[in-house]
Amino acid sequence: MVQSYLRHGPTQAKIAAFGLICSSSSNSVFDGKLAYVPALEDVLVWDVKKGQMLAMWHETGHRAEVTCIKQSPHPDSFAVGYADGSIRLWSASSGSVLTTFNGHKKAVTALGFDEQGTRLASGSQDTDLIVWDVIGETGLYRLRGHRDQITAIRFISTSDDQPSTSSVTAAGLLLTSSKDTFIKLWDLCNKHCIQTIVAHRSEIWSLDLNNDQDLIFTGSGEGELKAWKLDHEAVAEGLKETETGEVQKIIHPISTLPLSSRHRIAQIKFHSTQPYMAVQSHERSVEIFRIRTEEEVKKKQARRKKRAKEKEQKSSNDGMVLDVGDEVEIPHELQLVDMFTPHLVVRASGKIRSFDFGLEPLALKGSTQLFLALASNALEIYNIPPPSKNKEEPPEAVRSFSVDLPGHRTDIRTLSLSSDDQILASASSGSLKIWNMKTTACIRTMDCGYAICSTFLPGDRHIAIGTKSGEILIYDISSSSLIETVKAHSSTVWSLHVRADQCALVSGSEDKNVKFWEFEQRDASGENVQSGKLLTLVHTRTLKMTDDVLSVKYSPNGKLLAVALLDSTVKVFYEDTLKFFLSLYGHKLPVLSMDISSDSRLIVTCSADKNVKIWGLDFGDCHKSIFAHEESVMQVAFEAKSHYFWTVGKDKMVKYWDGDKFEGIQKLDGHHGEVWALALSHHGNFVVTGSHDKSIRVWEKLDEPLFLEEERERELEQLYESGIVDDLNRVEAPIGDARPAVAAEVEVSAVTKQTTETLMAGERIMEALDLADTERRTFHEYEEMTSRLAEDDAMKLQPPPRNPILAAYDLAPDAYVLRVVEKVQSTALQDALLVLPFGKVVSLMAYLNIWAQKEWNIPLVSRITFFLLKIHHHQIVANRIMRTTLIPLRKHLRAALQRQKDVISYNLAALQYIRRKNEFERTAQFYEEGLDEEKVEAKIAEGKKRKRVHLKA
């Protein structure tokens, strides 16, 4: 009989990952009230004022990290870029994906919407720039020219690009910056780069435009902030030669703006309504510049001229010959410095990952909100006061809100569960947090040193933490207080374990000592503790070892003690006499963790040599050595009452193993950093893991059975499919040449990217075509046979049975094919059609003709027809097989499109008539009611005031 296991995975009942406030993989967006921040593969929506998480944008099965977030001009829509090159448009109100764009081969690094929010431009680490049609849900074109990662994208609107009747696609300019030190200006009408500027000596990390779109600021890796002038007149005139024969430039350099620090400029941002610009060039601070108006700049320059004249007069009075009539000219660079004056510096409590201005005005007049997302898993909001007239007291930013309690600032190094699995303790360098496992809410936060290991003490009211400094800290959970600090060791405490009878604790340290402690209760007199009794540790014995102790473990029957040493061996002692029993040697690098099964028969050890070894505790023989992870295996633990065990490693994986059959049961990938900590439910219901990415993940045991053969087959299929996709997305190579060819540098190309979804969609279309063709052929043969027979004989001939699928849906073959094609996502349709061989294209063309004749989904029919004709043009022209299909298709499609055009034109004319009539009536009513002299005089005579009428547009 084939053995089955139960599958583990994240469930919707519990949030799969918690302990995250924001991750440092992407920028964040703040709209004045809500903050939209990345949390590894999800996006979290925080009400920063309340410190409450309102929503989590999570797509089941998607594991790639968020790398870029951009809000659309339509406030409800957000574009989110991911590390796998995909872009998803999310609806903020429903928290669901509107559409998915796939075109980039590497992580998306920059996003930009145009003014109307109908086009989206995306830049990536693969150096490509793609313009997407948001409404049509398709990629318009791919622009190539940059040689390194694109760092910023901005649309530049040109006034009245085209008349409304123009057939030219929406034009405009696109400004991009990259790590290749270039700024590029693209003409989207001609899909061509019209100006390239070598802006800095090092990478350009940030770029932004002012609200009037005439000033461009760029920031480099060397901390240089440059300003550029965008000439809108040159844009309107188009490209033309100057007197010297050079092409007229649109972007001109102005000057550099001095900053208080010379670090990499990570972000530049203009406030959308207030006269502020913010620059982040230091890890922990943001410099705010105030933008003066032209009048203020003129006043400042006038004062400067006045002071210069006074100096001249003074110097001439002192005997120096100067022409008083000469005026000191203010150079052009000073105008920029005069316009952008340093206002204040906002200093955060940690490294800043990104910042944003709050858009909603505050109650305090003139003050502005600055939102900071920190790399240390925290959010902060500062109030920026308006400029004060008092020069003695410079304005200072005040922190108004912060969100930092629901997550750790540093890596989670240790996890432990209470005996009833209701409470989880997680500790890192600086903080210990207690979580409610049902709600995944953080219920306690306590300060601690650099925590390395932890364990709940008997009764689950106290928790012990082993620190890097060698202390054991004992905390009372109910009062959130540190009740005792035991100076246990002179160096790092690597391991703590409570004996199965709950009467003793053992600690192992870097100082080569294993110390034994017993529990004692003392009265909590005079201490702020709710419970009457407190647990303390009493040192009873010490076992001195020859090397650093990395892990200690009691056997569940309480008879043996296992000690892992830095010399890569594990020594097993009798617990009562501490006499030596066994030595387990075989690992090439130190054993980092170990565990003993509940029946005390097996011990499993994991090591930095990437191996897991299973040993028998009776003779110390190695049952099996398994190459478990690609990196060091950090922790191992047996499941309760079984020989199944779990391992976690630096390769970001969590793995489930069978200790009797020595086989891997399941691989769980979800973490985006090294997995340091592991805790197993005492009832075997779930597993908790903690990671370098500051997230805590819960993997629950599901009711779904798992068979090893099926699991291996599924893994092989995934490898095979990903291999096919990689081959299809490879740069085109000559026929018969296995080596990838260097593609010719084409500035504009189509947006295509094959994924497993598009391959599956293409296969579904092919299956539907085969099924429908077979059905049509069968019934055509039946009709031909009946037509050749006499009428009486034809009545006796039974019609063939319908295909079960068509009979179930009760659809004709052509309607079934349309149903399958309509179910393919709009964004994946073109890539799915590319999968079809030419024979299936001929078949699909016949169905397109039928759909056009019946006027079914004409927009989809037109889109497919034009795409197939463009892709297969050479083959269609080369043979005459398509002639019988294309001629009637042209006739039917033109007739259908003409009818649709007539209907739209009629409706448009009717709507324009209704609008004109409405405007005429409103205008007439306004003049009739407002300027009727007799009525006005009568009302005045009555002594009534005229009523105000509010007209809404």
Side-chain angles (χ1 to χ4, degrees):
M1 185 179 171
V2 178
Q3 185 176 357
S4 69
Y5 304 87
L6 287 177
R7 188 181 294 278
H8 285 74
T11 59
Q12 295 302 320
K14 279 186 182 174
I15 299 172
F18 59 94
L20 271 172
I21 299 167
C22 71
S23 59
S24 58
S25 59
S26 163
N27 67 306
S28 303
V29 173
F30 182 61
D31 65 2
K33 184 182 179 185
L34 303 179
Y36 303 87
V37 302
L40 303 177
E41 71 268 22
D42 304 327
V43 176
L44 303 182
V45 183
W46 287 94
D47 185 331
V48 186
K49 189 175 181 181
K50 294 179 180 176
Q52 181 182 355
M53 189 177 81
L54 302 180
M56 173 191 274
W57 299 350
H58 175 79
E59 188 171 18
T60 309
H62 189 244
R63 294 285 182 207
E65 262 188 299
V66 174
T67 54
C68 192
I69 303 174
K70 184 73 177 178
Q71 188 172 17
S72 167
H74 307 291
D76 185 53
S77 182
F78 285 80
V80 180
Y82 294 86
D84 61 355
S86 63
I87 301 163
R88 283 165 175 74
L89 290 179
W90 289 86
S91 166
S93 55
S94 64
S96 60
V97 178
L98 301 173
T99 187
T100 304
F101 294 130
N102 252 313
H104 290 290
K105 294 180 179 67
K106 292 185 180 177
V108 177
T109 53
L111 293 168
F113 280 98
D114 67 354
E115 274 191 333
Q116 290 76 33
T118 56
R119 285 178 298 171
L120 170 71
S122 62
S124 164
Q125 285 180 356
D126 62 10
T127 74
D128 288 352
L129 181 70
I130 299 179
V131 181
W132 307 89
D133 181 356
V134 174
I135 295 168
E137 298 184 357
T138 56
L140 297 175
Y141 42 85
R142 187 191 301 267
L143 298 170
R144 291 193 174 104
H146 282 293
R147 297 173 187 171
D148 205 340
Q149 172 184 323
I150 294 170
T151 53
I153 296 173
R154 295 290 182 274
F155 274 91
I156 298 170
S157 58
T158 52
S159 55
D160 301 328
D161 294 317
Q162 299 289 342
S164 58
T165 55
S166 172
S167 61
V168 182
T169 55
L173 299 175
L174 195 65
L175 189 68
T176 60
S177 66
S178 167
K179 282 189 180 179
D180 60 7
T181 73
F182 295 157
I183 300 173
K184 282 183 177 283
L185 187 66
W186 306 82
D187 183 352
L188 297 184
C189 185
N190 300 319
K191 302 167 192 168
H192 177 64
C193 177
I194 54 176
Q195 190 176 351
T196 300
I197 304 162
V198 183
H200 293 269
R201 289 190 297 275
S202 63
E203 302 103 329
I204 301 172
W205 281 92
S206 51
L207 173 145
D208 202 16
L209 278 162
N210 67 343
N211 297 332
D212 297 330
Q213 293 198 338
D214 57 356
L215 274 178
I216 303 165
F217 279 87
T218 57
S220 75
E222 294 178 343
E224 190 177 32
L225 181 64
K226 279 191 178 180
W228 309 80
K229 180 76 175 173
L230 184 68
D231 192 348
H232 281 278
E233 290 180 5
V235 172
E237 291 172 4
L239 293 177
K240 64 177 187 179
E241 289 189 358
T242 57
E243 294 173 0
T244 57
E246 295 179 354
V247 178
Q248 185 177 1
K249 291 182 179 177
I250 296 170
I251 299 173
H252 306 279
I254 301 177
S255 173
T256 58
L257 200 64
L259 294 173
S260 58
S261 66
R262 297 288 290 177
H263 296 81
R264 170 170 70 88
I265 298 174
Q267 196 179 348
I268 304 168
K269 178 98 178 167
F270 280 90
H271 197 291
S272 57
T273 54
Q274 302 290 326
Y276 291 113
M277 179 184 77
V279 180
Q280 184 204 339
S281 64
H282 189 269
E283 286 182 341
R284 289 173 175 265
S285 63
V286 175
E287 199 167 347
I288 310 290
F289 289 86
R290 191 170 66 84
I291 308 170
R292 289 194 174 108
T293 60
E294 285 186 19
E295 292 178 2
E296 289 176 327
V297 172
K298 285 177 183 175
K299 283 181 183 176
K300 187 163 182 71
Q301 289 184 345
R303 282 201 301 271
R304 192 176 289 142
K305 285 181 182 179
K306 188 179 177 183
R307 282 200 299 271
K309 281 185 180 179
E310 287 173 356
K311 279 184 180 178
E312 287 169 2
Q313 288 175 355
K314 187 179 178 183
S315 57
S316 61
N317 293 336
D318 292 343
M320 295 176 67
V321 180
L322 277 172
D323 188 0
V324 181
D326 288 345
E327 289 192 359
V328 177
E329 289 294 326
I330 306 299
H332 191 73
E333 292 86 11
L334 288 177
Q335 292 181 4
L336 186 77
V337 177
D338 290 344
M339 192 178 288
F340 292 86
T341 178
H343 181 49
L344 55 84
V345 176
V346 179
R347 290 179 175 82
S349 60
K351 286 184 182 178
I352 299 167
R353 172 56 182 86
S354 73
F355 67 85
D356 200 2
F357 282 112
L359 301 180
E360 291 184 1
L362 284 174
L364 298 168
K365 192 178 178 183
S367 63
T368 305
Q369 285 186 331
L370 184 73
F371 167 81
L372 303 179
L374 305 184
S376 60
N377 197 25
L379 308 175
E380 292 182 342
I381 287 186
Y382 288 82
N383 278 351
I384 300 166
S388 60
K389 293 181 180 178
N390 187 0
K391 292 182 180 179
E392 293 177 2
E393 295 180 8
E396 283 189 8
V398 180
R399 187 171 75 178
S400 51
F401 306 112
S402 68
V403 181
D404 58 0
L405 285 180
H408 285 279
R409 304 285 77 74
T410 53
D411 295 13
I412 296 162
R413 293 306 301 255
T414 174
L415 295 171
S416 56
L417 278 162
S418 61
S419 57
D420 57 359
D421 294 338
Q422 297 294 313
I423 295 174
L424 173 76
S426 65
S428 65
S429 173
S431 66
L432 163 68
K433 290 184 183 288
I434 310 295
W435 307 84
N436 182 332
M437 284 304 294
K438 278 189 177 177
T439 61
T440 66
C442 180
I443 52 176
R444 296 279 189 277
T445 298
M446 294 164 264
D447 293 333
C448 70
Y450 196 129
I452 298 293
C453 54
S454 63
T455 182
F456 274 90
L457 299 181
D460 292 336
R461 292 188 173 188
H462 303 87
I463 188 165
I465 300 288
T467 66
K468 199 171 185 178
S469 58
E471 296 168 339
I472 297 177
L473 309 176
I474 300 176
Y475 290 88
D476 181 74
I477 295 172
S478 58
S479 63
S480 305
S481 60
L482 173 67
I483 55 172
E484 190 173 7
T485 301
V486 181
K487 186 61 184 169
H489 296 272
S490 59
S491 193
T492 307
V493 180
W494 284 115
S495 183
L496 293 171
H497 192 228
V498 177
R499 202 166 63 196
D501 61 4
Q502 305 282 299
C503 294
L505 174 83
V506 63
S507 62
S509 167
E510 196 180 342
D511 64 4
K512 305 178 184 179
N513 288 333
V514 177
K515 290 193 177 181
F516 298 84
W517 312 82
E518 286 185 356
F519 301 118
E520 234 181 48
Q521 289 194 344
R522 61 180 173 86
D523 292 328
S525 55
E527 295 188 40
N528 184 24
V529 177
Q530 293 175 6
S531 55
K533 298 284 185 179
L534 291 180
L535 273 182
T536 61
L537 297 180
V538 179
H539 180 227
T540 56
R541 293 185 293 177
T542 301
L543 176 64
K544 292 190 178 293
M545 305 302 295
T546 55
D547 221 324
D548 296 9
V549 179
L550 298 181
S551 181
V552 287
K553 211 80 178 176
Y554 280 114
S555 63
N557 60 14
K559 292 180 180 178
L560 300 174
L561 174 75
V563 181
L565 302 176
L566 192 66
D567 63 4
S568 310
T569 64
V570 177
K571 301 281 193 291
V572 184
F573 299 89
Y574 290 105
E575 191 275 331
D576 48 1
T577 60
L578 296 185
K579 282 187 177 179
F580 176 76
F581 173 48
L582 290 171
S583 180
L584 312 177
Y585 55 90
H587 282 291
K588 295 179 178 67
L589 288 171
V591 173
L592 301 177
S593 175
M594 58 186 175
D595 198 18
I596 300 172
S597 62
S598 52
D599 57 6
S600 301
R601 288 184 179 179
L602 295 181
I603 180 170
V604 61
T605 58
C606 67
S607 165
D609 63 9
K610 309 173 189 176
N611 287 303
V612 167
K613 290 183 187 288
I614 303 157
W615 316 76
L617 260 183
D618 42 6
F619 301 109
D621 55 324
C622 180
H623 290 185
K624 189 70 174 177
S625 180
I626 305 170
F627 182 78
H629 289 261
E630 299 294 325
E631 296 286 341
S632 301
V633 189
M634 298 309 298
Q635 212 160 339
V636 63
F638 271 107
E639 207 171 71
K641 298 175 183 175
S642 74
H643 285 177
Y644 304 152
F645 63 90
W646 289 84
T647 59
V648 295
K650 281 189 176 181
D651 59 355
K652 310 173 188 175
M653 298 294 287
V654 181
K655 295 189 179 182
Y656 189 30
W657 306 86
D658 186 336
D660 292 325
K661 294 192 172 183
F662 316 125
E663 284 187 297
I665 300 171
Q666 198 179 355
K667 296 177 185 175
L668 297 168
D669 59 333
H671 283 290
H672 296 268
E674 299 94 338
V675 188
W676 296 114
L678 171 72
L680 263 66
S681 156
H682 293 87
H683 305 295
N685 298 330
F686 59 87
V687 180
V688 190
T689 53
S691 168
H692 168 74
D693 61 20
K694 303 180 183 68
S695 72
I696 302 170
R697 289 178 189 265
V698 180
W699 313 92
E700 281 197 309
K701 187 175 281 187
L702 310 175
D703 296 330
E704 182 186 345
L706 181 148
F707 298 94
L708 294 184
E709 291 78 9
E710 289 179 6
E711 194 71 9
R712 297 295 96 79
E713 281 176 18
R714 194 172 60 82
E715 288 173 12
L716 286 171
E717 277 176 16
Q718 286 177 349
L719 276 173
Y720 177 66
E721 285 172 359
S722 62
I724 291 176
V725 169
D726 290 343
D727 281 347
L728 287 171
N729 290 327
R730 193 167 60 107
V731 178
E732 293 80 6
I735 295 169
D737 188 4
R739 296 170 299 171
V742 179
E745 191 65 29
V746 182
E747 195 171 36
V748 184
S749 62
V751 181
T752 59
K753 184 189 176 186
Q754 290 292 352
T755 62
T756 50
E757 288 80 12
T758 59
L759 290 178
M760 296 292 286
E763 286 177 7
R764 284 197 297 272
I765 294 172
M766 282 191 272
E767 287 170 4
L769 288 170
D770 284 336
L771 188 148
D773 285 346
T774 308
E775 185 82 352
R776 288 180 69 200
R777 199 181 309 113
T778 306
F779 275 88
H780 183 66
E781 288 170 0
Y782 167 72
E783 286 166 7
E784 278 189 349
M785 200 180 295
T786 53
S787 65
R788 284 199 296 268
L789 295 171
E791 191 174 338
D792 293 338
D793 294 335
M795 293 291 287
K796 293 176 184 176
L797 191 66
Q798 288 291 326
R802 290 184 70 191
N803 185 290
I805 296 173
L806 296 176
Y809 286 117
D810 193 21
L811 290 173
D814 49 358
Y816 175 70
V817 177
L818 179 63
R819 176 194 172 95
V820 171
V821 174
E822 281 178 334
K823 281 193 171 182
V824 178
Q825 277 192 347
S826 178
T827 51
L829 181 61
Q830 292 186 357
D831 289 320
L833 293 173
L834 284 174
V835 177
L836 303 183
F838 188 66
K840 291 289 181 280
V841 171
V842 175
S843 179
L844 183 57
M845 280 288 191
Y847 288 103
L848 290 171
N849 180 31
I850 297 169
W851 301 338
Q853 191 175 357
K854 294 182 178 180
E855 294 192 21
W856 288 350
N857 203 339
I858 294 299
L860 180 66
V861 172
S862 307
R863 186 180 164 196
I864 295 172
T865 305
F866 299 146
F867 180 74
L868 290 178
L869 288 174
K870 184 171 72 174
I871 294 298
H872 300 283
H873 176 260
H874 294 298
Q875 276 179 294
I876 291 169
V877 171
N879 60 43
R880 300 171 68 85
I881 194 170
M882 301 284 289
R883 189 175 176 83
T884 53
T885 308
L886 286 174
I887 291 171
L889 175 60
R890 180 179 66 179
K891 176 188 168 187
H892 296 139
L893 194 56
R894 279 184 175 174
L897 287 171
Q898 187 60 48
R899 275 191 288 277
Q900 287 209 351
K901 187 180 177 185
D902 292 343
V903 170
I904 291 169
S905 302
Y906 182 83
N907 290 339
L908 193 62
L911 288 169
Q912 287 173 346
Y913 168 74
I914 291 168
R915 187 181 70 180
R916 286 197 302 270
K917 185 180 176 185
N918 185 37
E919 286 179 355
F920 173 76
E921 286 178 353
R922 281 177 53 225
T923 309
Q925 186 182 4
F926 173 73
Y927 281 110
E928 284 172 8
E929 288 186 3
L931 301 176
D932 192 344
E933 291 184 12
E934 293 178 2
K935 285 185 180 178
V936 171
E937 287 174 0
K939 284 183 180 178
I940 292 170
E942 288 174 12
K944 290 182 180 178
K945 290 184 178 180
R946 280 183 291 176
K947 191 178 179 182
R948 291 182 181 272
V949 178
H950 294 283
L951 295 171
K952 292 183 179 178

